[in-house]
Amino acid sequence: MQEDYRNIYLDARRTAGLTQERWAEVLGISVEAVRLYESGTNMPSDGVVLRMAEAAGQHIICYWHLLRKSRVAADILPEVREKALPEAVLDLLCRLKEFSADGMEDLIRIAADGRVDASEREPYICAMNQLRALVSAGLHMEYAKGGED
């Protein structure tokens, strides 16, 4: 989960450049509901968050909401921060190259007998870490600033 707390629902409204009153109208909710979300007292429903993401043009808010809403998601999904599109693409390409050079051969060799034995444990962990980094880089690209207008 995110290291330091920031109110993603407040950030979405500010990104949209709207007052609480206008934001409530756009989302089809009450001003009081907006205040409760922005104070951290209540968490919006998934449907409201989807409308926030659309209205603010900030789809990463859905991902961050999921991490906040679900302990399981927070434990298994990688942290994703906003990056500029060029940074996200370069990171993904570097990680793809790194994985294809080392990780694929190791995984093929390890998977051949259907189990990970003691001598394969270290390269398996290394390959899995590379895969996690690759997934994270892909998510950064998915939510990159300038990626999709």
Side-chain angles (χ1 to χ4, degrees), residues 78-148:
E79 183 62 37
V80 175
R81 64 178 177 81
E82 285 184 298
K83 288 185 176 183
L85 184 59
E87 179 186 5
V89 169
L90 290 173
D91 185 41
L92 177 63
L93 292 175
C94 287
R95 294 190 185 278
L96 271 170
K97 183 178 179 192
E98 179 183 311
F99 180 75
S100 64
D102 303 325
M104 274 199 252
E105 286 183 29
D106 286 341
L107 282 179
I108 291 168
R109 183 180 46 77
I110 292 166
D113 65 358
R115 66 180 210 278
V116 179
D117 64 35
S119 67
E120 297 168 329
R121 188 78 185 137
E122 189 175 325
Y124 176 77
I125 290 170
C126 182
M128 291 307 299
N129 287 337
Q130 287 177 330
L131 278 172
R132 284 185 196 97
L134 188 57
V135 167
S136 179
L139 287 167
H140 279 98
M141 190 169 150
E142 170 76 19
Y143 298 114
K145 292 180 192 174
E148 225 179 278

Side-chain angles (χ1 to χ4, degrees), residues 26 63 66 120 129 144:
V26 167
Y63 189 86
L66 178 63
E120 297 168 329
N129 287 337

Side-chain angles (χ1 to χ4, degrees), residues 1 6 8-9 14 16 21 34 37 45 53 56 64 69 78 80 83-84 86 120 124 137 141:
M1 186 105 114
R6 62 183 247 237
I8 60 175
Y9 313 112
R14 288 182 174 162
E21 292 75 17
V34 170
Y37 303 153
S45 69
W64 291 337
K69 179 180 176 180
V80 175
K83 288 185 176 183
E120 297 168 329
Y124 176 77
M141 190 169 150

Side-chain angles (χ1 to χ4, degrees), residues 33-44:
V34 170
R35 288 188 183 115
L36 291 171
Y37 303 153
E38 292 184 0
S39 71
T41 304
N42 281 3
M43 185 176 286

